[in-house]
Amino acid sequence: MWSANSFQRKVIEYYRQHGRKHLPWHGTKDPYRIWLSEIMLQQTQVARVIPYYEAFLERFPTIVDLAEASSDEVMHLWSGLGYYSRARNLHKAAKIVAKDFAGTFPQDPEEIEALPGIGRSTAGAIAAFSFDKPTAILDGNVKRVLARCYGIEGWAGKSAVLKSLWAKAEKNTPSQNTAQYNQAMMDLGAVVCTRSKPKCEQCPLAKECYALKQDMISELPGKKPKKTRPKRSVYWLVCIDNNQVLLHKRPPSGIWGGLWCFPELDQTAPIPEHYEQLSSFVHKFSHYDLEVQPLLVKKLSKTGIMEPNETDRFALNLFDKKKQAKTTAIGLPTPVSNLLASLS
Ligand code: SF4
């Protein structure tokens, strides 16, 4: 079995020879840029993140620019990337850094972790990449490499399993070259030790890897126990009047918080006759399915439903994707933006 030293050596050697060094957030020590990339990369592929990362930085080159932006503009630039609480927390944290730290990102890992939306691993990554602190990381990629290498069984959502993984991560993280080591572990998980079909023949850890030796790659890391996915069924009221569409800004927290959507009703009653049914669809969230039946309504007053708070009317042609007419700086979830595009 590896000693921590030989594990580190192999991993750092791999980074020097094969590590990814050319992504837009590599080669910077700016904590704002590193933080932004770490948050965007959570649950999201690199190729999808790059254009969002670049557009975000072009509009908000500094953390103070982000702190001073309106929430609509922040959500607009995040629209389509999903997991919108990330954007809301990013905005909140930027405001705290601007106000409580005079716009300078804190260096202490504990102070970093106290900011909204930053967990222990992200705080460790920012502290190591920006400030050369010897802090460990444990994102999804690193969890996979460690679970396989050391045969740590069970789902990482269980506290005992997570504790074992953190203990290994802490033990193996070197006090020198921490940034290179952390980057290498992320790269190994993302490029070599992938979820399915890992490229063990390219892996610097193959010689001692528990999962490879025991033929347990598909069982490690342990999967989340399966539960039946709940389903929620709603109507979306597509109210179009004089080529203007009515949208409603959702409350700041919860699903799609702060984004603009169609007024929504639970499907507890049959569809009344004077609505026109549009094509229904299912949108999958990480923890449930949302079954949507859009209903075209010519006048909201005919529905007998009060206009919800925080509504506004927008010209339909603003949402025509072919004309690239994304001139309205508001945040829209992808299914809303697709439905608007099909109507405009
Ligand atoms: S040998 Fe294979 S399974 Fe083991 S850490 Fe390397 S890539 Fe992953």
Side-chain angles (χ1 to χ4, degrees):
M1 186 50 70
W2 301 107
S3 69
N5 264 345
S6 56
F7 189 97
Q8 292 159 9
R9 233 189 358 264
K10 290 273 173 203
V11 167
I12 290 177
E13 211 173 280
Y14 165 84
Y15 174 77
R16 291 186 177 149
Q17 286 179 25
H18 307 288
R20 296 181 297 179
K21 302 175 187 95
H22 305 294
L23 295 173
W25 43 88
H26 292 159
T28 180
K29 282 192 163 292
D30 177 351
Y32 170 55
R33 287 169 181 252
I34 288 164
W35 168 49
L36 181 63
S37 69
E38 288 294 320
I39 299 294
M40 285 189 165
L41 286 165
Q42 288 167 2
Q43 333 260 4
T44 316
Q45 299 287 323
V46 167
R48 192 160 163 65
V49 164
I50 291 173
Y52 281 88
Y53 176 81
E54 288 175 340
F56 216 84
L57 282 176
E58 195 180 316
R59 171 59 191 88
F60 310 124
T62 69
I63 196 164
V64 175
D65 296 319
L66 174 59
E68 288 171 352
S70 73
S71 71
D72 274 338
E73 202 177 358
V74 175
M75 299 317 279
H76 173 64
L77 282 167
W78 203 275
S79 290
L81 200 55
Y83 298 97
Y84 293 93
S85 60
R86 296 182 295 175
R88 293 194 296 271
N89 282 330
L90 205 68
H91 197 201
K92 269 191 226 158
K95 287 181 182 179
I96 293 171
V97 173
K99 186 165 166 279
D100 299 350
F101 296 89
T104 303
F105 211 90
Q107 296 198 14
D108 175 10
E110 281 183 21
E111 281 182 334
I112 300 175
E113 196 180 335
L115 293 169
I118 301 187
R120 182 173 165 190
S121 181
T122 303
I126 299 168
F129 294 141
S130 299
F131 308 118
D132 293 316
K133 305 267 184 201
T135 41
I137 58 163
L138 188 66
D139 67 2
N141 286 326
V142 179
K143 279 178 191 160
R144 188 163 55 253
V145 175
L146 292 177
R148 285 178 175 165
C149 255
Y150 291 99
I152 300 172
E153 297 188 35
W155 172 49
K158 287 198 170 151
S159 61
V161 179
L162 190 63
K163 212 170 146 196
S164 306
L165 288 166
W166 266 115
K168 272 293 172 227
E170 295 276 9
K171 188 160 179 264
N172 281 0
T173 302
S175 51
Q176 308 266 314
N177 295 321
T178 313
Q180 284 193 355
Y181 172 84
N182 283 346
Q183 188 61 59
M185 287 296 284
M186 287 176 169
D187 288 0
L188 269 177
V191 178
V192 178
C193 193
T194 45
R195 213 175 299 251
S196 60
K197 299 194 186 135
K199 303 172 190 73
C200 302
E201 68 288 352
Q202 298 172 19
C203 180
L205 304 169
K207 205 168 142 222
E208 296 286 344
C209 174
Y210 178 92
L212 184 61
K213 278 192 199 165
Q214 302 295 323
D215 195 18
M216 283 184 68
I217 289 174
S218 57
E219 283 112 87
L220 291 168
K223 298 194 178 47
K224 186 178 177 176
K226 275 222 160 84
K227 278 200 247 156
T228 44
R229 285 171 66 77
K231 189 172 81 179
R232 204 179 143 226
S233 302
V234 295
Y235 296 131
W236 279 0
L237 304 182
V238 181
C239 310
I240 297 176
D241 196 3
N242 210 8
N243 275 324
Q244 295 211 309
V245 63
L246 185 86
L247 294 178
H248 157 58
K249 189 175 182 181
R250 295 172 85 107
S253 57
I255 294 291
W256 290 336
L259 276 79
W260 290 78
C261 297
F262 295 101
E264 184 177 293
L265 288 177
D266 267 321
Q267 284 187 24
T268 45
I271 302 168
E273 280 165 19
H274 57 271
Y275 295 114
E276 184 188 327
Q277 275 190 63
L278 303 175
S279 305
S280 63
F281 60 91
V282 175
H283 180 77
K284 288 189 177 301
F285 286 105
S286 56
H287 52 298
Y288 74 94
D289 292 342
L290 183 70
E291 190 180 59
V292 179
Q293 172 59 68
L295 301 173
L296 187 62
V297 191
K298 292 294 177 200
K299 284 247 188 288
L300 188 65
S301 55
K302 279 197 178 174
T303 65
I305 295 157
M306 300 284 287
E307 254 185 47
N309 286 336
E310 288 256 40
T311 52
D312 212 339
R313 287 172 169 74
F314 298 88
L316 255 185
N317 63 11
L318 288 174
F319 305 104
D320 185 339
K321 285 188 180 169
K322 275 186 239 122
K323 291 186 196 152
Q324 299 284 306
K326 258 188 142 185
T327 47
T328 307
I330 57 171
L332 296 169
T334 303
V336 173
S337 131
N338 289 344
L339 184 49
L340 283 166
S342 74
L343 296 164
S344 55

Coordinates of all heavy atoms in Angstrom, one line a residue, residues 212-251:
L212 N -8.6 -1.8 -8.7 CA -8.1 -2.5 -9.9 C -7.7 -3.9 -9.5 O -8.1 -4.9 -10.2 CB -6.9 -1.7 -10.5 CG -6.4 -2.2 -11.8 CD1 -7.4 -2.2 -12.9 CD2 -5.1 -1.4 -12.2
K213 N -7.0 -4.0 -8.4 CA -6.6 -5.3 -8.0 C -7.7 -6.3 -7.7 O -7.7 -7.4 -8.0 CB -5.7 -5.2 -6.7 CG -4.3 -4.8 -7.0 CD -3.5 -5.0 -5.7 CE -2.2 -4.3 -5.7 NZ -1.6 -4.2 -4.4
Q214 N -8.7 -5.7 -7.0 CA -9.8 -6.5 -6.5 C -11.0 -6.6 -7.6 O -12.0 -7.1 -7.2 CB -10.4 -6.0 -5.2 CG -9.4 -5.8 -4.1 CD -8.9 -7.2 -3.6 OE1 -9.7 -8.2 -3.6 NE2 -7.6 -7.2 -3.3
D215 N -10.8 -6.0 -8.7 CA -11.8 -6.0 -9.7 C -13.1 -5.4 -9.2 O -14.2 -6.0 -9.3 CB -12.1 -7.4 -10.3 CG -12.9 -7.4 -11.6 OD1 -12.9 -6.3 -12.2 OD2 -13.4 -8.5 -11.9
M216 N -13.0 -4.2 -8.5 CA -14.2 -3.6 -7.9 C -14.4 -2.2 -8.4 O -15.0 -1.4 -7.7 CB -13.9 -3.5 -6.4 CG -14.2 -4.9 -5.7 SD -14.0 -4.7 -3.9 CE -15.4 -3.7 -3.5
I217 N -13.9 -1.9 -9.6 CA -14.0 -0.5 -10.1 C -15.5 -0.1 -10.3 O -15.8 1.0 -9.9 CB -13.3 -0.4 -11.5 CG1 -11.8 -0.5 -11.2 CG2 -13.6 0.9 -12.2 CD1 -10.9 -0.5 -12.5
S218 N -16.3 -1.0 -10.7 CA -17.7 -0.5 -10.9 C -18.5 -0.4 -9.6 O -19.5 0.3 -9.5 CB -18.5 -1.5 -11.8 OG -18.4 -2.8 -11.3
E219 N -17.9 -1.0 -8.5 CA -18.6 -0.9 -7.2 C -18.1 0.3 -6.4 O -18.6 0.7 -5.3 CB -18.4 -2.1 -6.3 CG -19.2 -3.3 -6.7 CD -18.4 -4.4 -7.3 OE1 -17.8 -5.2 -6.6 OE2 -18.2 -4.4 -8.6
L220 N -17.0 0.9 -6.8 CA -16.4 2.0 -6.0 C -16.3 3.3 -6.9 O -16.0 3.2 -8.0 CB -15.0 1.6 -5.6 CG -14.9 0.5 -4.5 CD1 -13.5 0.0 -4.3 CD2 -15.4 1.1 -3.2
P221 N -16.7 4.4 -6.3 CA -17.2 4.6 -5.0 C -18.7 4.1 -4.9 O -19.3 4.0 -5.9 CB -17.2 6.2 -4.8 CG -17.1 6.7 -6.2 CD -16.5 5.7 -7.1
G222 N -19.1 3.9 -3.7 CA -20.5 3.4 -3.4 C -21.5 4.4 -3.9 O -21.3 5.6 -3.9
K223 N -22.6 3.9 -4.5 CA -23.6 4.8 -5.0 C -24.7 5.2 -4.0 O -24.9 4.4 -3.0 CB -24.3 4.1 -6.2 CG -23.3 3.8 -7.3 CD -23.8 3.5 -8.6 CE -22.8 3.2 -9.7 NZ -21.6 2.4 -9.2
K224 N -25.3 6.3 -4.3 CA -26.4 6.7 -3.4 C -27.5 5.7 -3.5 O -27.9 5.3 -4.6 CB -26.8 8.1 -4.0 CG -27.9 8.8 -3.1 CD -28.2 10.1 -3.8 CE -29.3 10.8 -3.0 NZ -29.6 12.1 -3.4
P225 N -28.1 5.3 -2.4 CA -29.2 4.4 -2.4 C -30.3 5.0 -3.3 O -30.7 6.1 -3.1 CB -29.6 4.2 -1.0 CG -28.6 4.9 -0.2 CD -27.8 5.8 -1.0
K226 N -30.9 4.1 -4.1 CA -31.9 4.6 -5.1 C -33.3 4.7 -4.4 O -33.7 3.9 -3.6 CB -32.1 3.6 -6.2 CG -31.1 3.8 -7.3 CD -31.9 3.6 -8.7 CE -31.1 4.2 -9.8 NZ -30.1 3.4 -10.4
K227 N -33.9 5.9 -4.6 CA -35.3 6.0 -4.1 C -36.2 6.3 -5.3 O -35.6 6.8 -6.3 CB -35.3 7.3 -3.2 CG -34.9 7.0 -1.8 CD -35.4 8.1 -0.8 CE -34.3 8.9 -0.3 NZ -34.6 10.2 0.1
T228 N -37.5 6.1 -5.2 CA -38.3 6.4 -6.4 C -38.3 8.0 -6.5 O -38.5 8.7 -5.4 CB -39.7 5.9 -6.3 OG1 -40.1 6.1 -5.0 CG2 -39.8 4.4 -6.6
R229 N -38.2 8.5 -7.7 CA -38.1 10.0 -7.8 C -39.5 10.5 -7.7 O -40.4 10.1 -8.4 CB -37.6 10.3 -9.2 CG -36.1 10.1 -9.4 CD -35.7 10.3 -10.8 NE -35.9 11.6 -11.3 CZ -35.1 12.6 -11.0 NH1 -34.0 12.4 -10.3 NH2 -35.3 13.8 -11.5
P230 N -39.7 11.5 -6.8 CA -41.0 12.2 -6.8 C -41.3 13.0 -8.0 O -40.4 13.4 -8.7 CB -40.9 13.1 -5.5 CG -39.5 13.0 -5.1 CD -38.7 12.1 -5.9
K231 N -42.6 13.2 -8.3 CA -43.0 13.9 -9.5 C -43.9 15.0 -9.0 O -44.8 14.8 -8.1 CB -43.7 13.0 -10.4 CG -43.9 13.7 -11.8 CD -44.4 12.7 -12.8 CE -45.9 12.4 -12.6 NZ -46.5 11.5 -13.6
R232 N -43.8 16.2 -9.6 CA -44.7 17.3 -9.3 C -45.3 17.7 -10.7 O -44.6 17.9 -11.6 CB -43.9 18.5 -8.7 CG -44.8 19.3 -7.9 CD -44.0 20.5 -7.2 NE -45.0 21.6 -7.2 CZ -44.6 22.8 -7.6 NH1 -43.4 23.1 -7.9 NH2 -45.6 23.7 -7.6
S233 N -46.6 17.9 -10.7 CA -47.2 18.3 -11.9 C -47.8 19.7 -11.8 O -48.5 20.0 -10.9 CB -48.4 17.3 -12.3 OG -47.9 16.0 -12.3
V234 N -47.5 20.6 -12.8 CA -47.9 22.0 -12.7 C -48.4 22.4 -14.1 O -48.1 21.8 -15.1 CB -46.8 22.9 -12.3 CG1 -46.3 22.6 -10.8 CG2 -45.6 22.9 -13.2
Y235 N -49.2 23.5 -14.0 CA -49.6 24.2 -15.2 C -48.7 25.5 -15.3 O -48.4 26.1 -14.3 CB -51.0 24.7 -15.2 CG -52.1 23.6 -15.1 CD1 -53.1 23.6 -14.2 CD2 -52.1 22.5 -16.1 CE1 -54.1 22.6 -14.2 CE2 -53.0 21.5 -16.0 CZ -54.0 21.6 -15.1 OH -55.0 20.6 -15.0
W236 N -48.3 25.8 -16.5 CA -47.7 27.1 -16.7 C -48.7 28.0 -17.5 O -49.1 27.5 -18.6 CB -46.4 27.0 -17.5 CG -45.2 26.6 -16.6 CD1 -45.2 26.4 -15.3 CD2 -43.8 26.4 -17.0 NE1 -43.9 26.0 -14.8 CE2 -43.1 26.0 -15.9 CE3 -43.2 26.5 -18.3 CZ2 -41.7 25.8 -16.0 CZ3 -41.8 26.2 -18.3 CH2 -41.1 25.9 -17.2
L237 N -49.0 29.1 -17.0 CA -49.9 30.0 -17.7 C -49.2 30.9 -18.7 O -48.5 31.8 -18.2 CB -50.8 30.8 -16.7 CG -51.5 30.0 -15.6 CD1 -52.3 30.9 -14.7 CD2 -52.4 28.9 -16.3
V238 N -49.3 30.6 -19.9 CA -48.6 31.4 -21.0 C -49.6 32.5 -21.4 O -50.4 32.3 -22.3 CB -48.2 30.5 -22.1 CG1 -47.4 31.3 -23.2 CG2 -47.3 29.3 -21.6
C239 N -49.4 33.7 -20.8 CA -50.4 34.7 -21.0 C -49.8 35.7 -22.1 O -48.8 36.4 -21.8 CB -50.7 35.5 -19.8 SG -51.1 34.4 -18.4
I240 N -50.4 35.7 -23.3 CA -49.8 36.6 -24.3 C -50.9 37.5 -24.7 O -52.1 37.1 -25.0 CB -49.4 35.7 -25.5 CG1 -48.2 34.8 -25.1 CG2 -48.9 36.6 -26.7 CD1 -47.7 33.9 -26.2
D241 N -50.6 38.8 -24.7 CA -51.5 39.8 -25.0 C -50.8 40.9 -25.8 O -49.7 41.4 -25.4 CB -52.1 40.4 -23.7 CG -53.3 41.2 -24.0 OD1 -53.8 41.2 -25.1 OD2 -53.9 41.8 -23.0
N242 N -51.2 41.1 -27.0 CA -50.6 42.2 -27.8 C -49.1 42.0 -28.0 O -48.3 42.9 -27.8 CB -50.8 43.5 -27.1 CG -50.9 44.7 -28.1 OD1 -50.9 44.4 -29.3 ND2 -50.9 45.9 -27.6
N243 N -48.8 40.7 -28.3 CA -47.4 40.3 -28.5 C -46.5 40.5 -27.3 O -45.3 40.7 -27.4 CB -46.7 41.0 -29.7 CG -47.1 40.2 -31.0 OD1 -47.1 39.0 -30.9 ND2 -47.3 40.9 -32.0
Q244 N -47.1 40.6 -26.1 CA -46.3 40.7 -24.9 C -46.7 39.5 -24.0 O -47.8 39.0 -24.0 CB -46.7 42.0 -24.1 CG -46.4 43.2 -24.9 CD -46.0 44.4 -24.0 OE1 -46.8 44.6 -23.1 NE2 -44.9 45.0 -24.2
V245 N -45.7 39.0 -23.3 CA -45.9 37.9 -22.5 C -45.7 38.2 -21.0 O -44.8 39.1 -20.7 CB -44.9 36.7 -22.9 CG1 -43.4 37.1 -22.7 CG2 -45.2 35.4 -22.2
L246 N -46.5 37.6 -20.2 CA -46.4 37.9 -18.8 C -45.5 36.9 -18.1 O -45.6 35.7 -18.2 CB -47.8 37.8 -18.2 CG -48.0 38.1 -16.7 CD1 -48.2 39.6 -16.6 CD2 -49.1 37.4 -16.1
L247 N -44.5 37.4 -17.4 CA -43.6 36.6 -16.6 C -43.6 37.0 -15.1 O -43.9 38.1 -14.8 CB -42.2 36.6 -17.2 CG -42.0 36.1 -18.6 CD1 -40.5 36.3 -19.0 CD2 -42.4 34.6 -18.7
H248 N -43.2 36.0 -14.3 CA -43.3 36.2 -12.9 C -41.9 35.9 -12.3 O -41.3 34.9 -12.6 CB -44.4 35.3 -12.3 CG -44.2 35.0 -10.9 ND1 -44.2 35.9 -9.9 CD2 -44.1 33.7 -10.3 CE1 -44.1 35.3 -8.7 NE2 -44.0 34.0 -8.9
K249 N -41.4 36.9 -11.5 CA -40.1 36.6 -10.8 C -40.3 35.8 -9.6 O -41.0 36.2 -8.7 CB -39.4 37.9 -10.5 CG -38.0 37.8 -10.1 CD -37.3 39.1 -9.9 CE -35.8 39.0 -9.5 NZ -35.2 40.2 -9.3
R250 N -39.6 34.6 -9.5 CA -39.8 33.8 -8.4 C -39.1 34.3 -7.2 O -38.1 35.1 -7.3 CB -39.3 32.4 -8.7 CG -40.0 31.7 -9.8 CD -39.4 30.4 -10.3 NE -39.8 29.3 -9.4 CZ -40.6 28.4 -9.8 NH1 -41.2 28.4 -11.0 NH2 -40.9 27.4 -9.0
P251 N -39.6 34.0 -6.0 CA -38.9 34.4 -4.7 C -37.4 34.1 -4.7 O -37.0 33.1 -5.4 CB -39.7 33.7 -3.6 CG -40.9 33.1 -4.2 CD -40.6 33.0 -5.7

